[in-house]
Amino acid sequence: MTVAMQPRKLNLSIASAAMLPMVRKEPSMSLAAIAEAGLRGGADGILLHLTDERWLVREDDFEQVRRVCSEMDRSFQLRLWSAGPLITTALKFRPDVVCLTAESKIGSPQSYGLSFRGNLGQIKSACQRLKDIGARCYVSIDAGLEAVENALKSDVDGIEFDTSDLCDAIRGGNLKLVDERFTHLSSMARYASRHGLGVQAGHGLDFEAQRLLARVPQIRGINMGRYLIGGALMHGLTAMVAEAKGIMLHAGSGLDGLDARRQACLYRANYRGFREMDIIMSSFAQAVVPALVDPDLFMFEHILEMPDHDLYERIRSTNEPEQGLHIELLTNLRDHYKQSRWLCQ
Protein backbone atom coordinates (compact mmCIF):
# COMPACT_ATOMS: atom_id res chain seq x y z
CA MET A 1 0.00 0.00 0.00
CA THR A 2 1.60 3.26 -1.14
CA VAL A 3 0.77 6.43 0.79
CA ALA A 4 -1.08 9.03 -1.29
CA MET A 5 1.22 11.98 -1.83
CA GLN A 6 0.30 14.86 0.47
CA PRO A 7 1.62 18.43 0.16
CA ARG A 8 5.12 18.78 1.59
CA LYS A 9 5.07 20.01 5.16
CA LEU A 10 7.65 22.07 7.03
CA ASN A 11 7.59 21.65 10.80
CA LEU A 12 9.53 24.07 13.00
CA SER A 13 11.14 22.67 16.14
CA ILE A 14 11.50 25.42 18.73
CA ALA A 15 13.11 23.35 21.49
CA SER A 16 16.49 25.04 21.01
CA ALA A 17 14.83 28.43 21.51
CA ALA A 18 13.92 27.33 25.03
CA MET A 19 17.62 27.52 25.93
CA LEU A 20 17.87 31.21 25.02
CA PRO A 21 18.25 33.15 28.29
CA MET A 22 15.60 35.80 27.62
CA VAL A 23 12.79 33.45 26.59
CA ARG A 24 9.85 33.80 29.00
CA LYS A 25 11.42 36.78 30.78
CA GLU A 26 9.94 39.01 28.09
CA PRO A 27 6.37 38.29 26.83
CA SER A 28 7.43 39.19 23.29
CA MET A 29 10.05 36.43 23.43
CA SER A 30 7.93 33.61 24.84
CA LEU A 31 7.90 30.23 23.12
CA ALA A 32 4.36 31.00 21.98
CA ALA A 33 5.54 34.25 20.35
CA ILE A 34 8.41 32.38 18.68
CA ALA A 35 5.96 29.75 17.42
CA GLU A 36 3.70 32.47 16.01
CA ALA A 37 6.62 34.08 14.17
CA GLY A 38 7.51 30.73 12.63
CA LEU A 39 3.93 30.10 11.55
CA ARG A 40 3.78 33.56 9.97
CA GLY A 41 6.82 32.55 7.93
CA GLY A 42 4.90 29.57 6.56
CA ALA A 43 5.66 26.67 8.91
CA ASP A 44 2.93 24.04 8.76
CA GLY A 45 3.44 22.89 12.32
CA ILE A 46 5.31 23.57 15.55
CA LEU A 47 7.33 20.84 17.21
CA LEU A 48 8.05 20.97 20.95
CA HIS A 49 10.19 18.52 22.92
CA LEU A 50 8.56 16.95 25.96
CA THR A 51 11.33 15.85 28.32
CA ASP A 52 11.98 15.54 32.03
CA GLU A 53 13.68 18.97 31.89
CA ARG A 54 10.53 20.86 32.82
CA TRP A 55 12.48 23.95 33.81
CA LEU A 56 13.25 24.52 30.10
CA VAL A 57 9.78 23.99 28.64
CA ARG A 58 7.07 24.39 31.23
CA GLU A 59 3.49 23.20 31.19
CA ASP A 60 2.13 26.65 30.35
CA ASP A 61 4.50 26.80 27.35
CA PHE A 62 2.86 23.70 25.87
CA GLU A 63 -0.61 25.10 26.47
CA GLN A 64 0.23 28.49 24.93
CA VAL A 65 1.95 27.03 21.87
CA ARG A 66 -0.94 24.63 21.34
CA ARG A 67 -3.35 27.58 21.49
CA VAL A 68 -1.34 29.52 18.89
CA CYS A 69 -1.28 26.51 16.55
CA SER A 70 -5.02 26.03 16.96
CA GLU A 71 -5.79 29.70 16.29
CA MET A 72 -3.64 29.66 13.13
CA ASP A 73 -4.99 26.26 12.03
CA ARG A 74 -1.58 24.60 12.09
CA SER A 75 -0.33 21.34 13.54
CA PHE A 76 0.80 21.10 17.18
CA GLN A 77 3.42 18.38 17.53
CA LEU A 78 5.44 16.81 20.31
CA ARG A 79 8.73 14.96 20.25
CA LEU A 80 9.33 12.71 23.24
CA TRP A 81 11.13 9.72 24.53
CA SER A 82 8.75 6.73 24.56
CA ALA A 83 8.90 6.30 28.34
CA GLY A 84 5.50 5.69 29.93
CA PRO A 85 5.26 8.75 32.19
CA LEU A 86 5.95 11.13 29.31
CA ILE A 87 3.26 9.51 27.17
CA THR A 88 0.77 10.13 29.96
CA THR A 89 1.85 13.77 30.09
CA ALA A 90 1.66 14.11 26.29
CA LEU A 91 -1.96 12.91 26.26
CA LYS A 92 -2.89 15.87 28.44
CA PHE A 93 -1.74 18.37 25.79
CA ARG A 94 -3.71 16.64 22.99
CA PRO A 95 -1.12 17.00 20.20
CA ASP A 96 -1.93 16.45 16.54
CA VAL A 97 1.27 14.48 15.96
CA VAL A 98 3.78 12.81 18.29
CA CYS A 99 7.23 11.65 17.24
CA LEU A 100 8.83 9.07 19.53
CA THR A 101 12.58 9.39 19.73
CA ALA A 102 15.65 8.17 21.60
CA GLU A 103 16.40 11.71 22.72
CA SER A 104 15.53 12.24 26.37
CA LYS A 105 17.12 15.67 26.82
CA ILE A 106 16.93 18.88 24.81
CA GLY A 107 20.18 19.43 22.96
CA SER A 108 21.39 15.87 23.51
CA PRO A 109 24.24 15.02 21.09
CA GLN A 110 23.28 11.35 20.88
CA SER A 111 21.64 9.71 17.86
CA TYR A 112 17.90 10.34 17.66
CA GLY A 113 17.06 7.01 16.03
CA LEU A 114 14.82 4.98 18.30
CA SER A 115 15.90 1.42 19.06
CA PHE A 116 13.12 -1.16 18.87
CA ARG A 117 15.16 -3.82 20.62
CA GLY A 118 13.24 -4.69 23.77
CA ASN A 119 10.97 -1.66 23.25
CA LEU A 120 8.52 -2.84 20.56
CA GLY A 121 5.72 -3.59 23.00
CA GLN A 122 6.15 -0.25 24.76
CA ILE A 123 6.19 1.61 21.43
CA LYS A 124 3.04 -0.17 20.21
CA SER A 125 1.28 0.64 23.47
CA ALA A 126 2.31 4.30 23.27
CA CYS A 127 1.09 4.56 19.67
CA GLN A 128 -2.27 3.06 20.54
CA ARG A 129 -2.77 5.47 23.42
CA LEU A 130 -1.94 8.39 21.13
CA LYS A 131 -4.24 7.17 18.38
CA ASP A 132 -7.06 6.88 20.93
CA ILE A 133 -7.03 10.69 21.26
CA GLY A 134 -6.74 11.22 17.48
CA ALA A 135 -2.99 11.92 17.35
CA ARG A 136 -0.80 10.57 14.57
CA CYS A 137 2.24 8.68 15.77
CA TYR A 138 5.69 8.76 14.15
CA VAL A 139 8.99 7.25 15.26
CA SER A 140 12.43 8.71 14.63
CA ILE A 141 14.70 6.01 13.23
CA ASP A 142 17.99 5.47 11.46
CA ALA A 143 17.60 4.86 7.72
CA GLY A 144 17.99 1.09 7.90
CA LEU A 145 15.81 -1.71 6.58
CA GLU A 146 15.53 -3.38 9.99
CA ALA A 147 14.34 -0.14 11.59
CA VAL A 148 11.72 0.41 8.86
CA GLU A 149 10.49 -3.18 9.23
CA ASN A 150 10.18 -2.71 12.99
CA ALA A 151 8.28 0.53 12.44
CA LEU A 152 5.81 -1.39 10.27
CA LYS A 153 5.35 -3.93 13.06
CA SER A 154 4.72 -1.20 15.65
CA ASP A 155 1.58 0.19 13.92
CA VAL A 156 2.91 3.75 13.66
CA ASP A 157 1.55 6.18 11.07
CA GLY A 158 4.97 7.15 9.82
CA ILE A 159 8.68 7.52 10.36
CA GLU A 160 11.19 10.32 10.62
CA PHE A 161 14.63 9.46 9.26
CA ASP A 162 17.54 10.74 11.36
CA THR A 163 19.55 12.70 8.77
CA SER A 164 22.45 13.69 11.05
CA ASP A 165 25.04 11.54 9.24
CA LEU A 166 23.99 12.78 5.79
CA CYS A 167 24.12 16.41 6.94
CA ASP A 168 27.57 15.90 8.45
CA ALA A 169 28.79 14.49 5.12
CA ILE A 170 27.37 17.46 3.20
CA ARG A 171 28.90 20.02 5.56
CA GLY A 172 32.21 18.18 5.50
CA GLY A 173 32.26 18.19 1.70
CA ASN A 174 32.55 14.39 1.61
CA LEU A 175 30.75 13.76 -1.67
CA LYS A 176 31.41 10.02 -1.59
CA LEU A 177 29.59 9.71 1.74
CA VAL A 178 26.83 12.05 0.55
CA ASP A 179 26.27 9.77 -2.43
CA GLU A 180 26.14 6.63 -0.28
CA ARG A 181 23.92 8.05 2.44
CA PHE A 182 21.53 9.92 0.16
CA THR A 183 21.11 6.92 -2.15
CA HIS A 184 20.42 4.63 0.83
CA LEU A 185 18.02 7.06 2.51
CA SER A 186 16.11 7.61 -0.75
CA SER A 187 15.78 3.85 -1.20
CA MET A 188 14.46 3.43 2.34
CA ALA A 189 12.00 6.31 1.82
CA ARG A 190 10.60 4.59 -1.28
CA TYR A 191 10.33 1.29 0.58
CA ALA A 192 8.60 2.83 3.61
CA SER A 193 6.14 4.80 1.47
CA ARG A 194 5.36 1.76 -0.65
CA HIS A 195 4.39 -0.10 2.54
CA GLY A 196 2.08 2.62 3.79
CA LEU A 197 4.25 4.71 6.11
CA GLY A 198 4.39 8.49 5.98
CA VAL A 199 7.99 9.65 5.64
CA GLN A 200 9.65 12.67 7.22
CA ALA A 201 13.27 13.73 7.65
CA GLY A 202 14.96 15.72 10.37
CA HIS A 203 18.03 16.45 12.54
CA GLY A 204 21.01 18.56 11.55
CA LEU A 205 19.39 20.07 8.46
CA ASP A 206 20.49 23.32 6.85
CA PHE A 207 19.06 24.76 3.64
CA GLU A 208 21.37 22.75 1.37
CA ALA A 209 20.51 19.42 2.99
CA GLN A 210 16.83 20.37 3.14
CA ARG A 211 16.76 21.18 -0.57
CA LEU A 212 18.37 17.84 -1.46
CA LEU A 213 15.95 15.83 0.71
CA ALA A 214 12.86 17.78 -0.32
CA ARG A 215 13.47 16.62 -3.90
CA VAL A 216 12.78 13.03 -2.83
CA PRO A 217 9.09 12.57 -3.72
CA GLN A 218 8.37 10.17 -0.85
CA ILE A 219 9.65 12.57 1.85
CA ARG A 220 6.60 14.67 2.60
CA GLY A 221 7.71 16.32 5.85
CA ILE A 222 10.85 18.14 6.91
CA ASN A 223 11.52 18.91 10.58
CA MET A 224 13.95 21.77 11.19
CA GLY A 225 14.89 23.74 14.27
CA ARG A 226 18.40 24.65 15.34
CA TYR A 227 19.52 25.97 11.95
CA LEU A 228 16.44 28.18 11.64
CA ILE A 229 16.58 29.39 15.23
CA GLY A 230 20.31 30.14 14.89
CA GLY A 231 19.79 31.97 11.60
CA ALA A 232 16.97 33.94 13.19
CA LEU A 233 19.51 35.68 15.42
CA MET A 234 20.96 37.18 12.25
CA HIS A 235 18.04 37.41 9.86
CA GLY A 236 14.80 37.07 11.82
CA LEU A 237 12.78 33.89 12.34
CA THR A 238 9.95 34.76 9.97
CA ALA A 239 12.42 35.32 7.13
CA MET A 240 14.34 32.11 7.88
CA VAL A 241 11.17 30.00 7.98
CA ALA A 242 9.86 31.70 4.83
CA GLU A 243 13.02 30.70 2.98
CA ALA A 244 12.77 27.12 4.26
CA LYS A 245 9.10 27.02 3.24
CA GLY A 246 10.03 28.28 -0.23
CA ILE A 247 12.45 25.39 -0.59
CA MET A 248 9.68 22.96 0.36
CA LEU A 249 7.27 24.43 -2.19
CA HIS A 250 9.68 24.61 -5.10
CA ALA A 251 12.02 21.64 -4.56
CA GLY A 252 12.25 19.63 -7.75
CA SER A 253 10.21 22.06 -9.87
CA GLY A 254 10.77 25.29 -11.78
CA LEU A 255 14.35 26.48 -11.46
CA ASP A 256 15.01 23.56 -9.11
CA GLY A 257 13.66 21.00 -11.58
CA LEU A 258 15.97 18.51 -13.27
CA ASP A 259 15.88 20.22 -16.68
CA ALA A 260 16.65 23.65 -15.23
CA ARG A 261 19.47 22.33 -13.06
CA ARG A 262 20.95 20.43 -15.99
CA GLN A 263 20.82 23.56 -18.15
CA ALA A 264 22.54 25.54 -15.38
CA CYS A 265 25.28 22.89 -15.17
CA LEU A 266 25.80 22.97 -18.93
CA TYR A 267 26.10 26.75 -18.86
CA ARG A 268 28.53 26.76 -15.93
CA ALA A 269 30.60 24.00 -17.55
CA ASN A 270 30.92 26.08 -20.73
CA TYR A 271 32.19 29.18 -18.95
CA ARG A 272 35.10 28.29 -16.69
CA GLY A 273 38.13 30.37 -15.79
CA PHE A 274 40.43 29.44 -18.67
CA ARG A 275 40.35 27.78 -22.09
CA GLU A 276 41.47 24.28 -21.12
CA MET A 277 38.77 23.98 -18.48
CA ASP A 278 36.15 25.38 -20.87
CA ILE A 279 36.98 22.58 -23.30
CA ILE A 280 37.24 19.76 -20.75
CA MET A 281 34.17 20.61 -18.69
CA SER A 282 31.87 21.65 -21.54
CA SER A 283 32.52 18.51 -23.61
CA PHE A 284 32.19 16.28 -20.52
CA ALA A 285 28.98 18.01 -19.43
CA GLN A 286 27.41 17.71 -22.88
CA ALA A 287 28.06 13.97 -22.77
CA VAL A 288 26.80 13.16 -19.27
CA VAL A 289 24.62 15.94 -17.83
CA PRO A 290 21.45 15.28 -19.90
CA ALA A 291 21.06 11.92 -18.13
CA LEU A 292 22.11 12.93 -14.59
CA VAL A 293 19.70 12.66 -11.66
CA ASP A 294 20.29 13.02 -7.92
CA PRO A 295 22.57 12.22 -6.22
CA ASP A 296 24.93 12.38 -9.24
CA LEU A 297 23.55 15.72 -10.40
CA PHE A 298 24.01 17.09 -6.88
CA MET A 299 27.64 15.85 -6.95
CA PHE A 300 28.31 17.47 -10.33
CA GLU A 301 26.87 20.77 -9.09
CA HIS A 302 29.34 20.61 -6.19
CA ILE A 303 32.25 19.82 -8.48
CA LEU A 304 31.36 22.87 -10.57
CA GLU A 305 31.70 24.97 -7.39
CA MET A 306 35.37 24.01 -7.04
CA PRO A 307 38.00 26.60 -8.05
CA ASP A 308 39.08 26.01 -11.66
CA HIS A 309 42.80 25.58 -11.08
CA ASP A 310 42.19 23.23 -8.13
CA LEU A 311 39.78 21.09 -10.15
CA TYR A 312 42.10 21.14 -13.21
CA GLU A 313 44.98 19.75 -11.14
CA ARG A 314 42.77 17.02 -9.68
CA ILE A 315 41.61 16.01 -13.17
CA ARG A 316 45.18 15.84 -14.47
CA SER A 317 46.57 14.07 -11.41
CA THR A 318 47.41 10.38 -11.54
CA ASN A 319 47.14 9.99 -7.76
CA GLU A 320 44.25 8.17 -6.12
CA PRO A 321 41.29 10.55 -5.64
CA GLU A 322 41.29 11.81 -2.08
CA GLN A 323 38.59 10.83 0.34
CA GLY A 324 35.56 13.08 0.32
CA LEU A 325 35.47 13.56 -3.44
CA HIS A 326 32.96 11.71 -5.58
CA ILE A 327 35.48 9.18 -6.87
CA GLU A 328 33.43 7.72 -9.73
CA LEU A 329 32.60 11.15 -11.16
CA LEU A 330 36.18 12.35 -10.87
CA THR A 331 37.46 9.12 -12.45
CA ASN A 332 35.09 9.66 -15.37
CA LEU A 333 36.37 13.23 -15.70
CA ARG A 334 39.95 11.97 -15.77
CA ASP A 335 39.12 9.39 -18.44
CA HIS A 336 37.42 12.08 -20.50
CA TYR A 337 40.45 14.35 -20.14
CA LYS A 338 42.81 11.60 -21.37
CA GLN A 339 40.62 11.02 -24.43
CA SER A 340 40.14 14.67 -25.30
CA ARG A 341 43.24 16.49 -24.08
CA TRP A 342 44.48 16.90 -27.65
CA LEU A 343 41.69 19.50 -27.97
CA CYS A 344 43.44 21.59 -25.32
CA GLN A 345 46.71 21.79 -27.25
Side-chain angles (χ1 to χ4, degrees):
M1 177 184 68
T2 302
V3 174
M5 292 298 183
Q6 301 296 322
R8 294 189 184 98
K9 301 290 186 182
L10 173 68
N11 302 309
L12 172 64
S13 170
I14 60 173
S16 55
M19 292 184 283
L20 297 173
M22 288 304 294
V23 170
R24 285 192 302 271
K25 292 183 179 179
E26 295 288 339
S28 61
M29 293 181 65
S30 67
L31 287 178
I34 292 170
E36 183 177 351
L39 295 176
R40 286 202 310 270
D44 298 288
I46 296 296
L47 187 59
L48 265 179
H49 292 218
L50 178 59
T51 73
D52 293 324
E53 297 173 312
R54 306 308 291 276
W55 59 275
L56 271 176
V57 184
R58 301 182 308 216
E59 188 163 323
D60 59 334
D61 291 317
F62 291 102
E63 296 288 358
Q64 291 167 13
V65 171
R66 182 182 184 281
R67 188 178 307 117
V68 167
C69 290
S70 177
E71 291 172 353
M72 300 183 72
D73 195 26
R74 307 293 173 84
S75 176
F76 173 60
Q77 307 183 20
L78 296 178
R79 183 188 298 283
L80 61 133
W81 189 40
S82 57
L86 289 178
I87 290 293
T88 301
T89 305
L91 297 174
K92 181 169 60 176
F93 299 123
R94 302 193 69 81
D96 299 301
V97 180
V98 168
C99 185
L100 303 178
T101 178
E103 182 187 31
S104 59
K105 294 184 178 181
I106 294 176
S108 170
Q110 70 187 65
S111 170
Y112 300 93
L114 188 63
S115 171
F116 289 88
R117 187 167 299 171
N119 295 321
L120 186 59
Q122 188 180 42
I123 293 170
K124 289 184 71 170
S125 173
C127 286
Q128 187 56 56
R129 295 178 68 188
L130 291 165
K131 289 182 178 183
D132 287 344
I133 64 165
R136 297 192 305 281
C137 185
Y138 278 65
V139 288
S140 183
I141 62 173
D142 298 321
L145 180 60
E146 182 180 358
V148 175
E149 293 283 6
N150 281 325
L152 288 167
K153 295 175 186 175
S154 65
D155 300 326
V156 297
D157 297 290
I159 55 176
E160 176 202 51
F161 284 130
D162 180 354
T163 55
S164 304
D165 287 345
L166 173 63
C167 295
D168 288 343
I170 292 174
R171 274 191 288 273
N174 192 327
L175 299 185
K176 181 178 182 294
L177 276 179
V178 173
D179 184 8
E180 293 173 359
R181 290 170 180 172
F182 177 77
T183 300
H184 179 69
L185 191 147
S186 300
S187 173
M188 288 296 98
R190 290 192 295 271
Y191 180 82
S193 179
R194 191 163 63 246
H195 286 79
L197 292 174
V199 182
Q200 298 184 348
H203 305 298
L205 296 171
D206 58 15
F207 287 151
E208 184 176 29
Q210 179 204 4
R211 185 175 286 108
L212 179 62
L213 289 166
R215 293 171 184 148
V216 179
Q218 293 79 14
I219 296 178
R220 308 311 296 174
I222 295 286
N223 301 324
M224 297 180 71
R226 295 175 188 172
Y227 181 76
L228 297 179
I229 298 297
L233 299 177
M234 296 293 294
H235 310 294
L237 183 58
T238 299
M240 288 292 290
V241 173
E243 184 167 351
K245 181 65 173 181
I247 289 173
M248 295 297 291
L249 292 174
H250 304 300
S253 63
L255 293 178
D256 195 60
L258 282 176
D259 288 341
R261 291 168 63 204
R262 289 167 179 157
Q263 286 298 318
C265 285
L266 288 170
Y267 179 85
R268 292 166 64 194
N270 281 330
Y271 297 97
R272 307 303 296 178
F274 52 94
R275 177 176 174 274
E276 289 85 351
M277 283 295 284
D278 289 348
I279 294 171
I280 296 167
M281 296 303 292
S282 63
S283 56
F284 180 78
Q286 288 166 17
V288 303
V289 164
L292 287 185
V293 296
D294 287 322
D296 293 323
L297 181 57
F298 177 80
M299 305 304 158
F300 191 63
E301 289 169 332
H302 269 254
I303 282 179
L304 288 173
E305 294 286 346
M306 294 176 65
D308 280 309
H309 287 281
D310 186 21
L311 180 56
Y312 185 52
E313 290 305 315
R314 292 171 191 252
I315 292 172
R316 296 175 63 198
S317 174
T318 58
N319 296 329
E320 285 291 319
E322 58 194 78
Q323 286 297 320
L325 288 175
H326 191 269
I327 295 175
E328 182 181 355
L329 197 52
L330 184 57
T331 300
N332 291 341
L333 257 173
R334 287 178 173 181
D335 291 342
H336 176 76
Y337 168 70
K338 291 174 185 175
Q339 296 166 11
S340 61
R341 59 184 171 187
W342 61 271
L343 292 171
C344 302
Q345 297 174 353

